[in-house]
Amino acid sequence: MIVAANFKMHKTRKETIKYLKELKRMDFKDVEVRVFPPFSALIEDELIGAQNAYPAINGAYTGEIGLEQLNEFNIKTLLIGHSERRHILGETQEFIAEKFNFYKQNGFRIFYCVGEPLEVRKKGIEAVVDYIKKQFEGIDLNYENLVIAYEPVWAIGTGVSASSEEIKETHREIKKLTKAPIIYGGSVKLNNIKEILEIENVDGVLVGSASLDVDVFRQMIEIAKEKK
Ligand code: PGA
């Protein structure tokens, strides 16, 4: 099982250090735990991944960080394709694939996010699969250090997670395309994580707002520890 925390634009460096200290008091057993803090809170720790990075070692890319900056903190895990970057920051599939390939060549563990907007979900599973397949364009689904995060856009930050049936059918379809673990994200909370982790082909969760409270996140890891 994989349990990952996406802080988005929350928490300072000081808060992140405190959070990690509290988090690491527990035994994760076989659970792979990852924390994605904002850039300003990157620290050298095996749990830490970056929310974003530019596909270059360094260069004239104002506002970005690249491989050189990640290497300073020994960061080897990266989130790519999050819907907030696709939709708010306007990242195209072509650019996302460029990032993927650059960080793949550098051996990163890549958490690659896909997910459909509500109008696509309303059309049914076939439309959802077509949409997700477009988000796989240029992406090597056989990459051995890949984790897929299925995050329906309409479930992110809304408090309404996808139903078990929706998660099940979507993960089943994605599983046909890749051997990579598939985790679910989108309003995962303490009161639904157990049910979500029990769904076939769900290999973990990517948690946004509920992960901000370290006690809640620790309890989520405890629940994941009970799963194989
Ligand atoms: P949420 O965010 O848990 O707040 O819905 C999930 C994500 O965007 O990764």
Side-chain angles (χ1 to χ4, degrees), residues 56-192:
I57 297 170
N58 52 31
Y61 305 106
T62 302
E64 295 289 311
I65 67 169
L67 184 62
E68 184 176 275
Q69 287 72 33
L70 295 177
N71 280 346
E72 183 180 15
F73 298 102
N74 212 10
I75 305 283
K76 281 276 166 210
T77 306
L78 183 62
L79 211 59
I80 295 179
H82 191 279
S83 81
E84 284 150 16
R85 296 209 59 88
R86 290 179 190 267
H87 298 119
I88 305 173
L89 282 306
E91 290 190 5
T92 62
Q93 185 57 31
E94 206 183 351
F95 182 55
I96 288 169
E98 207 185 304
K99 282 190 191 188
F100 185 94
N101 287 312
F102 181 83
Y103 285 99
K104 175 192 148 189
Q105 274 160 26
N106 284 287
F108 273 61
R109 183 143 183 80
I110 297 176
F111 281 61
Y112 185 71
C113 306
V114 294
E116 81 289 353
L118 189 57
E119 62 270 22
V120 175
R121 172 52 71 177
K122 280 183 179 157
K123 291 185 193 151
I125 186 66
E126 272 180 37
V128 170
V129 173
D130 285 347
Y131 189 92
I132 290 174
K133 279 188 176 162
K134 290 202 180 82
Q135 296 181 317
F136 284 147
E137 270 171 26
I139 305 300
D140 176 9
L141 291 174
N142 296 316
Y143 177 45
E144 67 280 4
N145 217 352
L146 171 67
V147 176
I148 304 284
Y150 169 58
E151 300 201 298
V153 178
W154 47 274
I156 296 175
T158 58
V160 185
S161 84
S163 69
S164 295
E165 196 43 53
E166 287 164 332
I167 298 172
K168 189 175 167 184
E169 64 180 6
T170 314
H171 280 231
R172 187 201 296 133
E173 291 299 325
I174 298 173
K175 205 71 177 183
K176 290 179 187 166
L177 308 170
T178 179
K179 288 197 185 80
I182 308 165
I183 65 177
Y184 169 80
S187 296
V188 177
K189 307 283 177 202
L190 249 190
N191 64 13
N192 61 15

Side-chain angles (χ1 to χ4, degrees), residues 185-221:
S187 296
V188 177
K189 307 283 177 202
L190 249 190
N191 64 13
N192 61 15
I193 184 172
K194 191 163 186 285
E195 188 186 331
I196 290 170
L197 291 178
E198 264 155 22
I199 301 167
E200 230 179 301
N201 295 322
V202 170
D203 301 303
V205 282
L206 179 54
V207 189
S209 49
S211 73
L212 295 175
D213 181 331
V214 71
D215 290 331
V216 170
F217 193 59
R218 283 165 55 129
Q219 287 177 63
M220 289 179 151
I221 297 166

